[in-house]
């Protein structure tokens, strides 16, 4: 049983939009991602998704609702089926919580799609 | 869909060892708790449990392993079946992630047992 220090974990990689697996429990995964710019519009058919901002600011754009702007220490849960697009002006560090098998781009295949989730060092 | 600001959420209650429900996704719950002193030794038969320290310091004592000391921004996942006891010298603010139905004292019935989880305001 090893603890994870978020600051150290984020320092261990640079790649953006490429979530790292930081832990698993009850079939769910804790993933850490760096984000900058615009992601792709997508939804997850069978997975609710939690976004917690660890540093920076992240906007969750929603097709059918107002944007949600998350500052450091704020989280939102995007329910399954809800189309969304994470967007950020400058780099943000994000903790994701979702089922282990959830694909980052959900229903969409794009250059941003990551099929192999990298483990943290 | 409403965001949750952790600092505000923790400001909204004072009671210690009484987790508040801050969100639910995929059958799992995000719970926020204030902790000070010693909790009871217990385990969860069917639930892994994540402890993330939002402020302060929290020690997870383990019957069969070394203690794990968590500072702000650090988390650990205690696997199902592992007997543990959270302990802290001064007040810590903790985010818990675990199945919605998980009881705070696990297999143990104690004065610390909370059967009704309060919702955040």
């Amino acid at each position: 049983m090893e603890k994870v220090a978020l600051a150290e974990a984020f320092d261990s990689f640079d790649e953006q939009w490429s979530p790292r697996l930081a832990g698993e429990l009850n079939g769910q995964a804790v993933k850490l991602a760096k984000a900058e710019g615009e992601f792709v519009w997508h939804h997850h058919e069978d997975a609710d998704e939690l976004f917690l901002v660890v540093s920076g600011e992240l906007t969750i754009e929603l097709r059918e609702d107002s944007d949600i702007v998350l500052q450091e220490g704020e989280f939102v849960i995007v329910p399954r089926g809800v189309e969304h697009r994470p967007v950020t002006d400058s780099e943000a560090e994000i903790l994701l919580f979702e089922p282990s098998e959830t694909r980052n781009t959900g229903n969409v295949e794009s250059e941003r799609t990551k099929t192999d989730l990298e483990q943290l060092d």
Side-chain angles (χ1 to χ4, degrees), chain A:
Chain A
M1 203 180 323
E2 296 262 325
K3 72 175 178 179
V4 174
L6 293 178
E8 266 177 47
F10 280 112
D11 280 348
S12 74
F13 68 99
D14 292 319
E15 201 182 353
Q16 296 178 332
W17 304 113
S18 179
R20 261 55 176 178
L21 183 64
E24 284 190 287
L25 68 164
N26 308 306
Q28 313 288 309
V30 181
K31 302 176 185 177
L32 303 180
K34 295 189 176 186
E36 188 171 2
E38 293 175 355
F39 201 59
V40 293
W41 281 104
H42 68 285
H43 70 270
H44 304 280
E45 206 59 65
D46 301 312
D48 312 317
E49 190 170 34
L50 181 151
F51 295 85
L52 169 66
V53 173
V54 176
S55 79
E57 179 183 298
L58 179 73
T59 299
I60 306 290
E61 296 182 351
L62 301 165
R63 282 267 199 232
E64 311 201 340
D65 209 338
S66 309
D67 296 353
I68 294 178
V69 181
L70 300 173
Q71 311 287 344
E72 190 174 318
E74 297 184 341
F75 76 82
V76 74
I77 295 168
V78 178
R80 59 194 65 197
V82 172
E83 210 181 4
H84 60 283
R85 179 172 76 156
V87 172
T88 165
D89 284 337
S90 55
E91 188 171 89
E93 295 178 331
I94 303 156
L95 183 152
L96 298 158
F97 203 89
E98 60 193 6
S100 296
E101 67 278 11
T102 304
R103 186 168 85 159
N104 64 334
T105 57
N107 63 315
V108 172
E109 182 79 40
S110 106
E111 58 179 9
R112 287 270 169 79
T113 300
K114 297 286 180 187
T115 46
D116 296 320
L117 197 65
E118 286 183 54
Q119 199 95 29
L120 279 176
D121 293 332

